[in-house]
Amino acid sequence: MLSATLALHRLRDGNRRFVAGEASATGLVQPGRRAELATGQTPFAIVLGCSDSRVPAELVFDQGFGDLFVIRVAGNIVAPSQVGSVEFAAEQFGTRLVVVMGHTQCGAVTATLDELLGRSANASRNIRSIVDRIRPSVEALVAQGPSWDPEALMHEAVRANVRASVNQLRHGSDVIEGLIQTAGLVVVGAEYSLETGVVEFLD
Ligand SMILES: [Zn+2]
């Protein structure tokens, strides 16, 4: 299994190809490759990303079938099922890199800001369960003052939400904490730009 450092290099290289319009054909799956993977998988990175249709992890990192273990949920939030998914992949496959990937213009972060700033009506209980997990980190930003430029606030809110998810994964599970301490597991944050296609790693 690739170390976290090598896995990160591979993601960076893949994103560089994606941005340059030089994506490889790894997404095209030959029947032989599919059959090979039917008996087992060794994804080299775990990605917790947003469900947004414009942020598909395999495409923005130019990776193929069987390369990434991807968890997608609106707002890339961390709830118990996301923690469990990361634990599962890290333990079962020995994957050593976890990337929490937020993105510019995230609708879930916008919905949270709208609610905090009194711009929206009541969301359903289910949408609220997402907003409630984003709110604490964003609330702290909003509390810093009414002088925020809307774009700057959104920019900081997306990053604060990614950092909160990273922290929750790093400290929200004995299994993950143990793998970080003894097995070289690394959890990093990242932001994908819808405008440029670039993934910026935050740590
Ligand atoms: Zn989003």
Side-chain angles (χ1 to χ4, degrees):
M1 178 52 65
L2 283 187
S3 69
T5 306
L6 289 177
L8 199 53
H9 277 301
R10 201 162 150 185
L11 292 181
R12 283 185 197 279
D13 286 347
N15 180 243
R16 209 168 292 133
R17 291 192 299 273
F18 171 76
V19 171
E22 295 164 357
S24 46
T26 49
L28 300 172
V29 183
Q30 301 301 327
R33 178 67 177 143
R34 190 176 63 225
E36 192 182 306
L37 279 164
T39 55
Q41 58 175 312
T42 50
F44 73 86
I46 300 165
V47 179
L48 168 61
C50 183
S51 302
D52 194 295
S53 65
R54 301 164 292 180
V55 195
E58 286 88 349
L59 294 183
V60 307
F61 286 121
D62 188 31
Q63 300 300 322
F65 213 60
D67 287 334
L68 303 178
F69 189 92
V70 181
I71 307 148
R72 287 178 73 176
V73 59
N76 38 270
I77 56 162
V78 173
S81 54
Q82 279 78 45
V83 178
S85 300
V86 171
E87 285 180 358
F88 173 78
E91 283 197 311
Q92 291 291 309
F93 314 128
T95 312
R96 288 298 170 256
L97 177 67
V98 183
V99 178
V100 175
M101 184 165 69
H103 65 98
T104 58
Q105 301 182 47
C106 181
V109 173
T110 302
T112 307
L113 279 172
D114 283 349
E115 188 181 278
L116 284 168
L117 299 171
R119 295 191 297 223
S120 68
N122 294 335
S124 78
R125 187 166 57 91
N126 305 304
I127 289 182
R128 176 157 305 281
S129 73
I130 294 172
V131 167
D132 282 348
R133 287 186 186 274
I134 299 174
R135 188 193 287 122
S137 55
V138 173
E139 210 162 30
L141 283 176
V142 171
Q144 284 173 16
S147 56
W148 275 106
D149 165 67
E151 256 182 56
L153 178 59
M154 182 62 189
H155 175 78
E156 292 302 324
V158 165
R159 285 164 181 245
N161 181 47
V162 167
R163 291 200 175 92
S165 289
V166 167
N167 279 332
Q168 283 159 32
L169 285 180
R170 282 180 183 160
H171 306 294
S173 150
D174 289 344
V175 172
I176 296 173
E177 217 161 308
L179 289 171
I180 289 171
Q181 281 163 9
T182 65
L185 183 79
V186 171
V187 184
V188 296
E191 184 188 34
Y192 173 76
S193 166
L194 292 186
E195 296 78 11
T196 65
V198 172
V199 176
E200 184 185 340
F201 289 91
L202 302 184
D203 294 322

